[in-house]
């Protein structure tokens, strides 16, 4: 048995608390062996701040504290001594961490909350800076779908330079969160090609940052990556020995993998053993769609192609609001308190109650969303990176917010709309040259059987699952196993450590309905673009 430790910097599972602007996420630790068997897992809460709409902030110190605690708990409970640990790896959300002299945190927040980390959902602050980068028309933009997403880090750093120049000047290093955790763990400043290529405009296939984008205002070479000599591929060992003062969980001879974005870690677990022709769908608060190819393929509006995965080019589509959008939508209904009351009385999850309501509605109305409820689920932007797209709802009746049937109809329509967005991404990838034949899924969305079935039906393809519930953190463990030398490469690690789970079969009888409604969905998107263009002409 080869014990391995993997940790997730932030899991996007929000729970409302009594105070107004703070929620809890989680940091997770997972101990597995070299066959991918879970020895033990643990989770620790971290704070999440919402100073105003669209802004999400966290504390790097809080994340590090919780990460250490979760890993220690998983290690101790697994029964594996520290001397037996062969490797460790981190995955994390794409959050910006700024540090100053001596590694001290630099605030990147507006209102003095106890936070030094901005989250991936910081849309208001990043949008203007992304527009500035886009205006440079740098050829490197072709490798991010022609767009600068609000989920990328340079727009956030540029915002900091404009809004708080003294804080920007005090920063000696800007980290992506996964790289920050590696640095905190082993003392080596190792920047992963995964985080740099996908979130910092780094051209890994040419080993350089673009030139024109910094001149347009992006801080590409202004202390963003102070350790360019330590830009490392995913399977490279970040450090083989660390100072004794950092003996927080593993002995000095443990091996660390470079950091990885959380969704990409899930992609490794889903399709790592046979990547080409497969799409990894990591579903949760947001959705991420990953596909790799032996040759670079340009897909308009989709990130990539990025030389971020060993031996392959990566394209990434995404829906910035997925599970979060469903949660927000159903909570607007007048019937939401009844859902909570029913769930509490019966000791069940609120979504199990909603699924029962939806099943009951369908017994009485075979196609309850046919003529009503046509959401456009782009509240945080379009999956294909259209920067001027917004979410909307069409087809509401007078009773759109009243009664269990109305809520069940809205709930089902929102899930279907998210599935149509995923189909739009898959169709666009295939039209550009990919040949997606298999779809594998992991994440919080896999716990909802209705969401799984609707996605399979809308896509017209079976969904494949994996046995390990925490597939994202298992993907990080594949890096630890490969970096430690136990496996020659990631496909070999995935073949040995990832066990297949169930399969959700697409129902052929639903195809005609979803084909028709998908055409309506595409028309709504085109109409929305026309509305935006008309209003933009007023400037």
């Amino acid at each position: 048995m080869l014990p391995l430790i993997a940790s997730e910097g932030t899991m996007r599972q929000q729970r409302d608390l009594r105070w107004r602007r703070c929620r809890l996420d989680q940091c997770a630790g997972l101990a597995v062996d070299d066959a991918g068997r879970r020895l033990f897992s643990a989770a620790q809460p971290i704070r999440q701040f919402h100073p105003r709409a669209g802004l999400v902030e966290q504390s790097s110190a809080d994340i590090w504290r919780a990460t250490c605690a979760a890993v220690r708990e998983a290690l101790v409970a697994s029964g594996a001594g520290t001397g037996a640990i062969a490797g460790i790896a981190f995955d994390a959300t794409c959050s910006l961490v700024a540090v100053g002299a001596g590694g001290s945190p630099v605030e990147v927040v507006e209102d003095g909350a106890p936070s030094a980390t901005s989250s991936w959902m910081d849309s208001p602050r990043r949008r203007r800076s992304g527009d500035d980068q886009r205006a440079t028309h740098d050829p490197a933009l072709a490798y991010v779908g022609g767009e600068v997403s609000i989920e990328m880090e340079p727009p956030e750093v540029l915002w900091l330079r404009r809004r708080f120049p003294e804080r920007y000047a005090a920063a000696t290093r800007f980290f992506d969160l996964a790289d920050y955790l590696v640095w905190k763990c082993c003392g080596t400043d190792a920047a992963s090609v995964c985080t740099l290529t996908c979130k910092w405009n780094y051209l890994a296939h040419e080993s350089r940052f673009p030139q024109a984008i910094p001149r347009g205002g992006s801080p590409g070479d202004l202390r963003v990556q102070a350790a360019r000599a330590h830009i490392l591929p995913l399977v490279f060992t970040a450090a083989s020995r660390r100072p004794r003062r950092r003996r927080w969980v593993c002995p000095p001879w443990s091996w660390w993998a470079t950091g990885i974005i959380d969704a990409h870690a899930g992609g490794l677990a889903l399709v790592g053993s046979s990547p080409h022709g497969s799409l990894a769908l990591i579903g949760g608060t947001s959705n991420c769609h990953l596909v790799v190819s032996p040759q670079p393929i340009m897909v308009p509006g989709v990130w990539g192609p990025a030389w971020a995965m060993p031996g392959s080019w990566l394209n990434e589509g995404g829906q910035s609001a997925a599970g979060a959008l469903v949660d927000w939508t159903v909570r607007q209904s007048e019937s939401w308190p009844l859902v909570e009351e029913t769930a509490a009385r019966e000791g069940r999850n609120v979504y199990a109650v909603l699924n029962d309501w939806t099943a009951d509605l369908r017994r009485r109305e075979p196609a309850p969303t046919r003529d009503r409820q046509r959401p456009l689920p782009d509240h945080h932007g379009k999956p294909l990176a259209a920067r001027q797209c917004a979410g909307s709802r069409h087809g509401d009746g007078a009773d759109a917010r009243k009664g269990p049937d109305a809520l069940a109809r809205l709930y089902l329509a929102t899930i279907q709309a998210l599935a149509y967005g995923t189909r739009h991404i898959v169709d666009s990838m295939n039209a550009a040259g990919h040949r997606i034949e298999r779809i594998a899924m992991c994440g919080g969305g896999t716990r909802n059987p209705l969401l799984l079935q609707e996605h399979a039906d809308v896509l017209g393809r079976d969904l494949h699952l994996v046995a390990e519930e925490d597939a994202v953190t298992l993907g990080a463990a594949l890096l630890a196993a490969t970096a430690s030398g136990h496996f020659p490469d990631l496909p070999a690690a995935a073949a040995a450590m990832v066990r297949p789970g169930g399969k959700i079969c697409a129902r052929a009888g639903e195809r005609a309905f979803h084909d028709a409604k998908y055409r309506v969905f595409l028309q709504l998107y085109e109409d929305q673009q026309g509305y935006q263009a008309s209003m933009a002409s007023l400037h």
Side-chain angles (χ1 to χ4, degrees):
M1 181 179 70
L2 175 75
L4 301 154
I5 290 288
S7 179
E8 184 164 11
T10 53
M11 296 174 63
R12 301 168 184 172
Q13 297 176 351
Q14 300 176 354
R15 294 180 290 166
D16 288 329
L17 300 180
R18 288 177 295 176
W19 50 88
R20 181 171 61 90
R21 296 190 303 169
C22 183
R23 295 181 178 179
L24 286 186
D25 282 358
Q26 292 180 339
C27 286
L30 179 68
V32 300
D33 64 15
D34 56 355
R37 292 183 293 258
R38 179 192 293 225
L39 303 178
F40 196 82
S41 66
Q44 291 286 326
I46 57 173
R47 291 171 295 177
Q48 185 187 87
F49 304 95
H50 297 252
R52 59 186 173 89
L55 291 184
V56 184
E57 298 167 346
Q58 295 170 316
S59 164
S60 56
D62 192 33
I63 291 171
W64 176 242
R65 172 203 56 77
T67 297
C68 292
V71 169
R72 286 195 192 100
E73 183 181 350
L75 179 61
V76 171
S78 70
T82 57
I85 299 301
I88 186 167
F90 294 98
D91 70 85
T93 54
C94 301
S95 301
L96 180 72
V97 182
V99 300
S104 59
V106 174
E107 296 286 337
V108 292
V109 301
E110 294 187 81
D111 61 354
S115 169
T117 305
S118 73
S119 178
W120 57 281
M121 296 197 327
D122 249 343
S123 56
R125 297 199 293 218
R126 300 179 187 220
R127 186 164 286 116
R128 177 191 168 191
S129 300
D131 290 342
D132 289 346
Q133 284 186 255
R134 193 178 301 109
T136 66
H137 303 293
D138 189 278
L141 292 174
Y143 290 91
V144 288
E147 298 285 344
V148 179
S149 168
I150 60 174
E151 295 187 25
M152 301 182 75
E153 304 295 14
E156 176 76 359
V157 180
L158 179 55
W159 172 87
L160 183 68
R161 185 170 68 177
R162 287 170 167 163
R163 180 68 176 81
F164 296 107
E166 70 287 353
R167 298 182 190 176
Y168 174 82
T172 59
R173 180 74 160 89
F174 291 97
F175 287 97
D176 217 83
L177 180 56
D179 295 334
Y180 172 79
L181 294 174
V182 173
W183 174 68
K184 288 288 288 184
C185 178
C186 66
T188 297
D189 194 347
S192 164
V193 293
C194 176
T195 60
L196 295 191
T197 302
C198 296
K199 301 300 178 182
W200 294 90
N201 295 118
Y202 181 66
L203 302 175
H205 60 291
E206 298 178 3
S207 301
R208 68 176 181 89
F209 288 92
Q211 297 302 313
I213 288 181
R215 290 198 296 274
S218 170
D221 57 355
L222 303 177
R223 298 190 307 279
V224 172
Q225 302 303 337
R228 291 190 181 182
H230 300 293
I231 295 175
L232 302 175
L234 276 179
V235 295
F236 201 93
T237 303
S240 59
R241 198 168 184 85
R242 56 184 169 75
R244 288 186 177 274
R245 65 183 177 85
R246 295 186 182 272
R247 292 190 64 179
W248 62 282
V249 66
C250 295
W253 52 88
S254 290
W255 298 83
W256 287 264
T258 41
I260 186 172
I261 298 168
D262 55 351
H264 295 192
L268 289 179
L270 289 178
V271 302
S273 59
S274 55
H276 298 145
S278 296
L279 179 133
L281 171 54
I282 297 86
T285 300
S286 62
N287 281 348
C288 183
H289 313 76
L290 302 173
V291 62
V292 298
S293 58
Q295 302 296 329
I297 297 176
M298 302 288 185
V299 186
V302 169
W303 285 336
W307 190 249
M309 295 292 179
S312 297
W313 292 85
L314 171 72
N315 283 109
E316 176 182 351
Q319 294 165 294
S320 294
L325 175 62
V326 175
D327 186 64
W328 177 84
T329 299
V330 297
R331 288 174 182 270
Q332 310 307 306
S333 170
E334 294 180 4
S335 296
W336 177 250
L338 180 59
V339 176
E340 293 184 305
E341 177 187 327
T342 304
R345 183 177 66 251
E346 299 177 357
R348 297 196 296 157
N349 182 278
V350 291
Y351 286 101
V353 174
L354 283 171
N355 288 350
D356 284 350
W357 287 9
T358 303
D360 178 65
L361 176 63
R362 276 179 150 165
R363 281 190 288 269
R364 291 178 282 113
E365 297 182 33
T369 64
R370 183 185 60 185
D371 301 316
R372 299 168 63 182
Q373 288 298 352
R374 296 180 292 277
L376 194 63
D378 303 329
H379 293 61
H380 281 268
K382 178 66 184 173
L384 296 176
R387 61 187 182 276
Q388 298 297 331
C389 195
S392 59
R393 272 169 48 187
H394 303 260
D396 278 358
D399 61 344
R401 296 193 179 191
K402 296 180 180 179
D405 281 0
L407 176 53
R409 184 177 290 107
L410 175 60
Y411 169 61
L412 175 61
T414 304
I415 288 176
Q416 289 175 343
L418 289 170
Y420 297 138
T422 288
R423 180 171 170 179
H424 195 185
I425 292 171
V426 172
D427 287 354
S428 298
M429 288 178 169
N430 282 336
H434 285 288
R435 293 294 178 265
I436 297 171
E437 300 173 350
R438 180 177 180 273
I439 297 179
M441 185 172 179
C442 72
T446 60
R447 301 185 186 97
N448 187 332
L450 177 63
L451 184 144
L452 287 173
Q453 189 62 64
E454 292 302 316
H455 275 71
D457 292 344
V458 167
L459 294 168
R461 294 177 173 88
D462 298 343
L463 295 183
H464 299 265
L465 310 178
V466 294
E468 171 55 54
E469 181 180 359
D470 191 358
V472 170
T473 315
L474 176 60
L478 301 182
L479 293 178
T482 306
S484 67
H486 191 73
F487 295 103
D489 51 36
L490 283 171
M497 297 177 62
V498 180
R499 302 185 307 280
K503 181 171 70 172
I504 311 301
C505 296
R507 298 175 296 188
E510 301 295 321
R511 183 71 183 187
F513 169 79
H514 287 301
D515 283 351
K517 198 165 184 186
Y518 178 55
R519 290 193 292 270
V520 173
F521 175 88
L522 295 178
Q523 186 61 56
L524 288 174
Y525 170 62
E526 294 299 330
D527 290 345
Q528 177 74 271
Q529 293 296 288
Y531 302 153
Q532 296 288 351
S534 295
M535 299 308 296
S537 66
L538 296 178
H539 293 302

